[in-house]
Amino acid sequence: MFSKQKYLEELDLSFNNLTILNLDMFVPYLTNLKKFLIDGNGLTELQGNRTFSEAFPQLQKLGVSRNRFNCSYLHHLLIPPSLPESVVLNIEPDTNLDETPHIRDVSCISQSQEIVNASFTAEESRLESQIHMLSKQLDIVGWHSKNLELHLAFMQIFAYVMVGLVLVGVISLITLRYLKNQRSGRYDRSSIVFRSNATMEANLTLGSEDLQ
C-alpha cells in the first residue's frame, strides 16, 4: 500500500474509528514522513515491533491524543528512547471535563479507570444479555398468544358447527313428528269413514227387513 509513497511527508489517519494499527506496515516505505496523526480513534495499543522513531526516522510531529491508551503503555510510547522529546505532540481538544491523567499532555486511562470501565462493560454485557433473554421470552409469549388465538378461533368455528348440527337435528325431528302425525290422522279418518259406511249398510239392511 505504501511502497510507492516513500516521499510522503504527512499522513493523517485521525478520527477514522481505527481500533487496530500495525506500525510494521509502514516500514521501510515512509522514511521521509514528518507528520503522523492518529488522534481520535479507538486505539488501545499499537501492533508490530517498531516504535514511532523506528518506523518514521524523520518524524517531527505526532498525534496520538483522544485514544484509549493505558497510561503505562502510553508512557512507553512517548518517553525516550521510544520517542525523542524533540517530536512535537499534537493535542486534540477533549470535551471530557473530568480530570484525567496524562503523559506529555496526552490523556490516558489509569488502572483504576480501567477497572471501572471493565466493571461498566461487564454490567452492560449483563444487561444486554438480560434484554436479549427478555426479548426471546416475549417472542415465545407472542408465539403462544398467536397459537391460542388460532385455537380459540377453531373452537368458535367448532361451536358454530355443533349448534348448526343441533338445529338441523331438532328441525329434522320436528319435521318427522309432524309427518308422522299427518299420516296417523289420515288413517284415523279412513277408519271412521269405514265404520260409518258399515253402520249405514247395517241400518239399510234392518230397514229393508222391516219393510218386508
Side-chain angles (χ1 to χ4, degrees):
M1 180 184 296
F2 297 100
S3 60
K4 297 181 180 181
Q5 305 293 331
K6 62 180 180 178
Y7 297 109
L8 185 68
E9 294 187 356
E10 294 186 8
L11 179 59
D12 188 353
L13 300 176
S14 56
F15 299 99
N16 275 295
N17 295 320
L18 299 177
T19 55
I20 298 176
L21 181 65
N22 193 328
L23 293 180
D24 291 346
M25 66 186 294
F26 304 113
V27 179
Y29 311 114
L30 303 184
T31 54
N32 292 308
L33 194 72
K34 296 179 180 179
K35 183 178 180 180
F36 183 57
L37 304 179
I38 54 173
D39 303 278
N41 289 291
L43 297 169
T44 57
E45 63 179 1
L46 299 177
Q47 308 296 323
N49 299 318
R50 269 81 170 184
T51 64
F52 288 114
S53 296
E54 293 170 343
F56 315 117
Q58 304 298 323
L59 189 64
Q60 297 177 5
K61 188 171 185 178
L62 174 67
V64 293
S65 62
R66 298 188 64 179
N67 281 287
R68 300 182 58 81
F69 294 119
N70 178 280
C71 289
S72 60
Y73 182 76
L74 188 63
H75 184 276
H76 168 72
L77 289 179
L78 302 183
I79 301 300
S82 297
L83 186 71
E85 292 185 357
S86 59
V87 176
V88 177
L89 294 178
N90 179 70
I91 308 296
E92 289 290 335
D94 195 346
T95 56
N96 186 7
L97 299 178
D98 296 335
E99 190 69 25
T100 56
H102 56 83
I103 306 295
R104 293 184 62 181
D105 295 329
V106 178
S107 61
C108 57
I109 299 176
S110 64
Q111 186 175 3
S112 60
Q113 284 179 309
E114 284 188 333
I115 294 173
V116 172
N117 290 340
S119 176
F120 276 117
T121 302
E123 184 67 17
E124 184 178 4
S125 299
R126 187 181 67 83
L127 290 175
E128 287 180 354
S129 177
Q130 289 181 347
I131 291 172
H132 184 65
M133 290 179 62
L134 287 174
S135 178
K136 281 189 174 181
Q137 290 177 354
L138 287 175
D139 290 339
I140 293 173
V141 170
W143 182 78
H144 283 298
S145 177
K146 289 182 179 179
N147 283 343
L148 182 60
E149 289 178 359
L150 290 175
H151 284 301
L152 289 175
F154 175 77
M155 293 299 294
Q156 189 175 14
I157 294 172
F158 180 76
Y160 288 150
V161 171
M162 292 302 296
V163 170
L165 291 175
V166 170
L167 289 175
V168 170
V170 170
I171 292 171
S172 299
L173 182 61
I174 293 173
T175 303
L176 289 173
R177 287 185 177 179
Y178 174 76
L179 293 175
K180 184 178 180 181
N181 290 334
Q182 288 290 99
R183 290 179 180 178
S184 298
R186 288 178 184 176
Y187 293 148
D188 291 342
R189 284 194 295 273
S190 298
S191 299
I192 292 170
V193 171
F194 176 76
R195 286 196 296 272
S196 297
N197 291 336
T199 304
M200 289 177 65
E201 289 178 358
N203 291 333
L204 289 173
T205 303
L206 290 174
S208 60
E209 289 178 355
D210 292 337
L211 290 175
Q212 292 176 358

